[in-house]
Amino acid sequence: VSPSSYGTPQRNTTGFDTRRLSMLLAVLEKRAKLQLYNKDVFLNLAGGIRVTDPAIDLAILASLLSSLRDKPLGAKTCFAGEVGLSGEIRAVNQIEKRVREADKLGYHQIYLSEYNNLQKAPGNIALRYVNTVGELMAKLFKG
């Protein structure tokens, strides 16, 4: 995410649906009151993979916020959640399996929807619940 030099900002994606990115940017503008209409946004999913699972929404949102604020996220942090038009973070399917896999891969914490209703994390990973985009911003960039 960077300031646009042109009248119309660029929206380029590799491995992710451009229309889905536009929706996520609109949610950030409307629900988080961020100004993105004058920013170029480049999104690249490394390794040549293409992801259509909506559970990646929360990770995309977090990376956009990180880039916009120029503050890195923790290297051992992961995300699993779908983002709705009203800025809510929705539950995703197979969350136990996702959390177990994140733990196996060495992640220390995972952000997910409270609606996934996990009582205890399988393994040593910490569960960080968020219900809205605003709550995600507050937890990621406190202070």
Side-chain angles (χ1 to χ4, degrees):
V1 178
S2 58
S4 179
S5 303
Y6 308 102
T8 303
Q10 297 180 67
R11 305 287 194 245
N12 293 320
T13 63
T14 302
F16 190 73
D17 182 30
T18 304
R19 292 171 300 184
R20 187 83 182 164
L21 174 63
S22 295
M23 187 275 296
L24 292 173
L25 292 170
V27 168
L28 284 176
E29 284 206 350
K30 180 143 182 138
R31 303 300 173 193
K33 308 289 188 238
L34 297 175
Q35 294 183 348
L36 297 164
Y37 62 87
N38 58 353
K39 304 276 193 263
D40 291 333
V41 177
F42 301 93
L43 176 63
N44 179 34
L45 300 184
I49 63 170
R50 176 137 184 87
V51 179
T52 58
D53 184 356
I56 198 173
D57 286 357
L58 198 57
I60 300 291
L61 218 63
S63 67
L64 291 169
L65 291 168
S66 171
S67 179
L68 183 66
R69 295 201 173 202
D70 206 18
K71 292 187 178 183
L73 301 173
K76 297 294 183 175
T77 301
C78 65
F79 304 84
E82 181 179 358
V83 176
L85 286 174
S86 65
E88 80 277 10
I89 309 303
R90 297 180 183 158
V92 296
N93 60 1
Q94 300 181 2
I95 193 63
E96 295 89 358
K97 188 176 183 180
R98 294 172 193 265
V99 173
R100 269 195 310 277
E101 194 61 30
D103 183 50
K104 281 184 200 172
L105 291 170
Y107 288 96
H108 296 164
Q109 62 182 344
I110 183 169
Y111 284 82
L112 62 151
S113 172
E114 204 167 87
Y115 299 112
N116 274 121
N117 204 16
L118 276 181
Q119 299 302 319
K120 184 180 178 314
N124 296 318
I125 194 167
L127 304 176
R128 306 281 185 238
Y129 293 108
V130 288
N131 290 320
T132 65
V133 171
E135 205 175 309
L136 175 69
M137 287 176 52
K139 288 186 177 183
L140 288 178
F141 305 110
K142 52 186 165 227

